[in-house]
Amino acid sequence: MKSQSKSWDIQDLQGAKLDTKTTDAWGSYPLLLLTKSGSFSIDLINADSTQKKRLAAQITTIIQGSQVSQLSIHEDSRLWTYPLGLFLILSGFVCIIYIAINGTIICILDKKLNKVTIERQGVFSKDVMEAKLSEIVGLDIDTFTVDSSSSYNIVFRLDSENDIYLANGPMFTAQSADQTFEAIANFLNLEDSNLFTHNSLS
């Protein structure tokens, strides 16, 4: 972690103020420490303009109204990074679990045997599902949306209404879902039979 420091004689300090003419790297007004040789910006990430203005008044009062021998201003910005770091760790852990569950997906469409076989190989499990191609009455894309983010899954619609999903959960992007859908629909000639129910996601 990079550290910077600057020192003055206490007699050189004249006060502090909120600089409302410029903005710092975070888009807020900087707090300026005023000295006889110029001003020095103090970066405070967690303080808003009102807090900085109040702090500037306190600094000026201390410097001008007391025989202070040392003035220390500090801010620990690590406190707000701990929840963020924990959130990122948990998100990564969830992603690892999700990848482990889905693992490798193998889809075999066999016209000779009139059979579709979907094999999902995860780190901890192996799942195999089968159905007759003649039972497929449609092909669709299932959409799962959280806030503004969407993920997709391929669905085989069967005449028995026991739909088969290509993956354990929505894991495809819009582009990969489109490409997978089109490849399966074309191979099974679903488009010519008007059995597919999907509009392009792109």
Side-chain angles (χ1 to χ4, degrees), residues 40-75:
F40 179 76
S41 177
I42 301 177
D43 295 327
L44 297 174
I45 300 175
N46 299 324
D48 58 21
S49 297
T50 301
Q51 293 170 324
K52 291 179 182 178
K53 189 174 182 179
R54 183 168 57 248
L55 182 58
Q58 293 173 348
I59 293 173
T60 301
T61 299
I62 291 174
I63 292 175
Q64 297 179 352
S66 66
Q67 298 299 319
V68 62
S69 60
Q70 183 178 356
L71 175 65
S72 177
I73 303 171
H74 73 280
E75 177 186 58

Side-chain angles (χ1 to χ4, degrees), residues 119-153:
E119 181 177 313
R120 308 189 195 106
Q121 297 178 350
V123 176
F124 309 107
S125 63
K126 180 179 179 179
D127 186 22
V128 178
M129 305 186 69
E130 294 182 346
K132 293 182 179 180
L133 292 182
S134 56
E135 294 178 332
I136 300 175
V137 296
L139 191 65
D140 203 354
I141 292 183
D142 191 36
T143 304
F144 181 77
T145 302
V146 176
D147 295 331
S148 59
S149 177
S150 298
S151 53
Y152 309 89
N153 201 352

Side-chain angles (χ1 to χ4, degrees), residues 97-131:
I97 293 177
Y98 192 75
I99 292 173
I101 291 175
N102 284 285
T104 303
I105 300 174
I106 301 174
C107 180
I108 301 175
L109 304 170
D110 195 322
K111 290 183 178 179
K112 182 178 293 187
L113 297 178
N114 186 33
K115 183 171 66 174
V116 52
T117 302
I118 299 174
E119 181 177 313
R120 308 189 195 106
Q121 297 178 350
V123 176
F124 309 107
S125 63
K126 180 179 179 179
D127 186 22
V128 178
M129 305 186 69
E130 294 182 346

Side-chain angles (χ1 to χ4, degrees), residues 18 43 55 76 87 151 177 196 198:
L18 185 67
D43 295 327
L55 182 58
D76 190 350
F87 172 76
S151 53
F196 74 108
H198 166 63

